[in-house]
Amino acid sequence: MEFALSGNLSNTCFLNSISRRVVKQRKTRMLYSSANFNVPPLFAHSNPPKERTLAVFGSEVFVWPSPADEIPFWKNTFPSRDASIQVPTDIEKDSNPIHIIHVTAEMAPIAKVGGLGDVVTGLARACLSRGHAVDVMLPFYACIEKQQINDLALITEYNTFYDGNWVPTNAYRGVVSGIPVIFIEPSNEFFKGQFVYGGSYNELEAYLFFSRACLEWMQVAGVQPDIIHVHEWQTGALPLLYWDMYQNLSLKKPRVVLTIHNMEHYGECTKDQLSKCGLDGSIYASMDKAIDDRTIGHNPERLSLLKGGIVYSNAVVTVSPTYLKETLCSGWLASTLLRNREKYFGILNGIDTVIWDPATDVFLPANFHAQKPEGKKICKYYVQRGLGLVSEGTLAGDPVPYITDNVPLIVCITRLVAQKGLHLITQAIKRTEELGGQMIVLGKASDGRVQREFEDLANSHNQGSSIRILLMYSEELSHMLYAAADMVLVPSIYEPCGLAQMIGMRYGAVPVVRKTGGLADTVFDMDDSSNREMANGFVFEGIDEGSLNCALGPCI
Ligand code: ADP
């Protein structure tokens, strides 16, 4: 089972030769020049084109973007990405192929909010490439763009039990990034709305419905995988439903694996809510089952879907060895995890190196790789121009501007939530400006107060020449920013694994991270003389501003 989980992703500390080279060249920090790439042919005249028209990707016509463009450069029309990311076929196959069904609330790129979506897609593709049969089951969110799904077809019309009724439900099959996906579409209000999360329906009840609907579909369709792989609290009720209901019906073969990507959310639920999916909620209100320990003696007591999932799954995985240790030492679920220690594993996440590949990435204005790094400089200049960051200078007596590549560019691409070290991101903006660098934050806040705080920051910085704070979600722009970056900042207070640092390294950017969870397992400090072999970035430990300052530049 473990191999299926680690799959081809075990090269997690993957550090391509681009980033090794960049790290070596840039042992110096913000105060030093980042200009280490050769001047690409495009810049041979040191004289960037003055006119603008829309950039045309994949063609010979190349045009620089500008902040004045009617359509921002990250909203250009790009070639279809799916065509270039088929599952690799040249990987050695495992000798014992099995059938795995992932049941998940997110899947990249069609329903991605954070790393969960990336990891489900990457893991499924890794297992497919090793010869296993893999399906993903996903709610058919109304916000999913159907043109991103290949071969979409209705395969089953069936009914799913919910709150005393049988709800007509459709199952569709399609292919996304080379992975067969089964989309579950209820006829009620669940999963309607503009976004993956935050619709005007009860989210917890929608995922309870979804968990049962997936098992019901397997039963109706006569599908019995070897492994049902559930993710996060959203699908935490599925192991309960499987062992206490569907095992007594016709599903016998599957074993259930739960991956915990982040223990922040526990899936807090009342007994009545759990009962709506057909289980007797009161049966699960005990220490050894699904009660939320913190609510014992309260009126009412609460259940935790995540805890239930831990207890009822055959194996539980979290996304890095260090986060495993951290979760065994702190938080109210530690005692449950300790009781289930023998089936609890910490397996480091990885990134899909085909999806995240600067040599083929369709969102980049120029591709690059370790042996041909020139395109990275074009990506940086492209982003700088498109966002109106200063990227040109003039030599005395010469009216023609030339490109100044000696300003380090740091990017931070993140959900804007407390976990991600919001005060450290704010401090990094301030410090970068003081040091004469440039910084771009691409982030989305779900909390109104955080949103306002960052809007204020954006208002006070975005007119200047060195800082851009972009409050939105954009997959396309995120690819361009990783490609443009000299450094990627991940200052998380805690981080189960973190993908941004790995993607950054894949795109030739040096990670600057706080030493916690998976960041501690993937980034090793340049100044750690005991571990020179592994050194690949800059690591700081404290959660105070001084610690961050010391990682970004000279300690003050
Ligand atoms: P988490 O899962 O906690 O959000 P990870 O580092 O594991 O953090 O994964 C985050 C993923 O989401 C990365 O692929 C990152 O590039 C992406 N991401 C985060 N915020 C944004 C955003 N505003 N726009 C585009 N991509 C984003």
Side-chain angles (χ1 to χ4, degrees):
M1 202 179 300
E2 205 174 327
F3 73 90
L5 297 171
S6 52
N8 197 31
L9 302 174
S10 48
N11 58 343
T12 306
C13 286
F14 177 81
L15 176 61
N16 70 15
S17 50
I18 293 183
S19 42
R20 278 199 189 287
R21 176 167 156 174
V22 173
V23 170
K24 280 195 188 124
Q25 288 171 340
R26 300 185 191 174
K27 186 165 162 23
T28 50
R29 303 185 188 186
M30 293 278 275
L31 290 181
Y32 293 78
S33 163
S34 65
N36 285 303
F37 296 116
N38 292 331
V39 175
L42 194 67
F43 295 140
H45 315 296
S46 293
N47 186 13
K50 285 281 143 199
E51 290 93 51
R52 285 183 299 100
T53 53
L54 286 182
V56 182
F57 282 76
S59 82
E60 293 304 308
V61 187
F62 186 93
V63 195
W64 297 106
S66 144
D69 289 339
E70 209 173 301
I71 302 173
F73 63 90
W74 60 91
K75 291 191 176 161
N76 279 324
T77 307
F78 299 96
S80 162
R81 177 166 87 136
D82 224 40
S84 62
I85 54 164
Q86 293 313 308
V87 173
T89 49
D90 53 349
I91 308 275
E92 200 183 324
K93 303 288 178 272
D94 288 327
S95 55
N96 55 344
I98 56 170
H99 182 199
I100 304 152
I101 296 187
H102 291 273
V103 180
T104 173
E106 287 186 39
M107 179 189 188
I110 54 170
K112 168 177 163 181
V113 176
L116 168 62
D118 285 320
V119 171
V120 167
T121 298
L123 184 56
R125 284 166 48 82
C127 292
L128 277 168
S129 71
R130 282 170 54 161
H132 303 283
V134 185
D135 297 289
V136 170
M137 296 192 77
L138 187 72
F140 208 161
Y141 297 106
C143 62
I144 290 178
E145 290 174 15
K146 294 201 175 57
Q147 68 271 21
Q148 288 194 289
I149 307 169
N150 293 323
D151 307 328
L152 184 64
L154 177 65
I155 52 166
T156 318
E157 292 175 278
Y158 68 112
N159 295 315
T160 301
F161 182 86
Y162 178 71
D163 201 10
N165 296 305
W166 287 89
V167 179
T169 301
N170 290 331
Y172 294 79
R173 181 180 279 279
V175 178
V176 175
S177 303
I179 307 162
V181 183
I182 294 145
F183 296 93
I184 300 297
E185 180 189 60
S187 56
N188 60 19
E189 76 282 9
F190 291 158
F191 308 121
K192 309 280 187 296
Q194 269 182 289
F195 303 106
V196 169
Y197 302 128
S200 54
Y201 52 88
N202 185 308
E203 210 149 66
L204 183 121
E205 294 185 14
Y207 288 114
L208 282 171
F209 169 90
F210 173 64
S211 298
R212 175 144 186 193
C214 289
L215 289 170
E216 187 67 28
W217 178 80
M218 289 179 214
Q219 173 156 280
V220 168
V223 174
Q224 301 229 27
D226 296 281
I227 293 177
I228 302 173
H229 193 150
V230 301
H231 298 266
E232 300 290 63
W233 69 267
Q234 285 96 337
T235 50
L238 188 146
L240 283 58
L241 282 158
Y242 175 68
W243 289 111
D244 287 352
M245 189 183 289
Y246 282 84
Q247 262 270 321
N248 303 325
L249 299 169
S250 72
L251 294 182
K252 304 283 180 206
K253 187 176 166 196
R255 294 295 176 265
V256 186
V257 176
L258 163 70
T259 291
I260 304 172
H261 298 256
N262 191 332
M263 232 163 275
E264 187 185 4
H265 301 290
Y266 307 114
E268 197 176 292
C269 145
T270 64
K271 295 173 210 169
D272 288 347
Q273 281 176 312
L274 186 58
S275 297
K276 287 189 183 182
C277 68
L279 294 170
D280 177 354
S282 58
I283 289 178
Y284 298 91
S286 64
M287 277 289 278
D288 61 339
K289 291 195 169 159
I291 200 161
D292 180 333
D293 306 21
R294 298 165 304 174
T295 69
I296 293 174
H298 290 203
N299 187 14
E301 289 176 336
R302 298 272 171 156
L303 305 176
S304 156
L305 297 185
L306 190 62
K307 176 174 168 181
I310 293 168
V311 171
Y312 276 75
S313 293
N314 297 89
V316 181
V317 179
T318 196
V319 291
S320 71
T322 297
Y323 191 58
L324 176 131
K325 285 187 210 140
E326 290 169 358
T327 55
L328 288 168
C329 297
S330 64
W332 71 269
L333 274 169
S335 56
T336 303
L337 291 168
L338 282 167
R339 277 200 299 279
N340 290 277
R341 182 68 188 88
E342 77 294 345
K343 65 173 186 186
Y344 183 38
F345 305 94
I347 302 177
L348 199 56
N349 273 341
I351 55 167
D352 188 312
T353 51
V354 176
I355 291 176
W356 295 102
D357 183 356
T360 55
D361 194 323
V362 295
F363 299 135
L364 305 190
N367 291 114
F368 59 94
H369 53 84
Q371 285 72 44
K372 199 169 165 291
E374 296 79 19
K376 185 164 173 74
K377 191 168 179 178
I378 300 176
C379 293
K380 179 175 174 183
Y381 185 52
Y382 188 85
V383 164
Q384 285 174 317
R385 285 199 69 161
L387 294 177
L389 292 170
V390 166
S391 52
E392 294 171 15
T394 44
L395 289 170
D398 184 353
V400 179
Y402 73 101
I403 299 158
T404 60
D405 188 36
N406 57 358
V407 181
L409 174 63
I410 186 160
V411 308
C412 180
I413 302 171
T414 183
R415 292 181 296 118
L416 291 170
V417 292
Q419 171 204 335
K420 300 295 181 181
L422 298 176
H423 70 290
L424 295 176
I425 296 173
T426 311
Q427 173 62 20
I429 293 168
K430 186 170 160 234
R431 189 73 186 128
T432 301
E433 212 169 23
E434 285 166 3
L435 289 169
Q438 295 182 344
M439 180 161 173
I440 304 169
V441 178
L442 173 62
K444 196 163 177 222
S446 47
D447 177 271
R449 191 189 53 78
V450 177
Q451 173 73 14
R452 281 190 294 282
E453 194 184 309
F454 276 81
E455 273 168 9
D456 288 347
L457 271 178
N459 288 338
S460 57
H461 284 94
N462 282 3
Q463 301 308 317
S465 58
S466 58
I467 306 291
R468 290 294 175 270
I469 298 158
L470 308 168
L471 299 178
M472 61 181 165
Y473 181 91
S474 167
E475 186 70 14
E476 295 83 354
L477 183 56
S478 75
H479 283 243
M480 295 181 194
L481 294 185
Y482 286 119
D486 295 303
M487 282 166 271
V488 168
L489 176 69
V490 192
S492 306
I493 304 304
Y494 76 91
E495 191 59 77
C497 181
L499 300 179
Q501 79 282 10
M502 292 193 240
I503 302 169
M505 288 192 266
R506 176 78 171 141
Y507 282 63
V510 180
V512 181
V513 308
R514 216 187 131 251
K515 189 173 187 175
T516 178
L519 298 173
D521 292 334
T522 52
V523 183
F524 307 96
D525 191 51
M526 290 303 297
D527 296 332
D528 180 358
S529 53
S530 65
N531 196 13
R532 288 243 181 271
E533 286 289 287
M534 297 287 284
N536 59 3
F538 299 107
V539 181
F540 63 100
E541 293 197 20
I543 55 169
D544 59 300
E545 294 166 351
S547 301
L548 173 87
N549 289 343
C550 286
L552 282 181
C555 301
I556 47 168

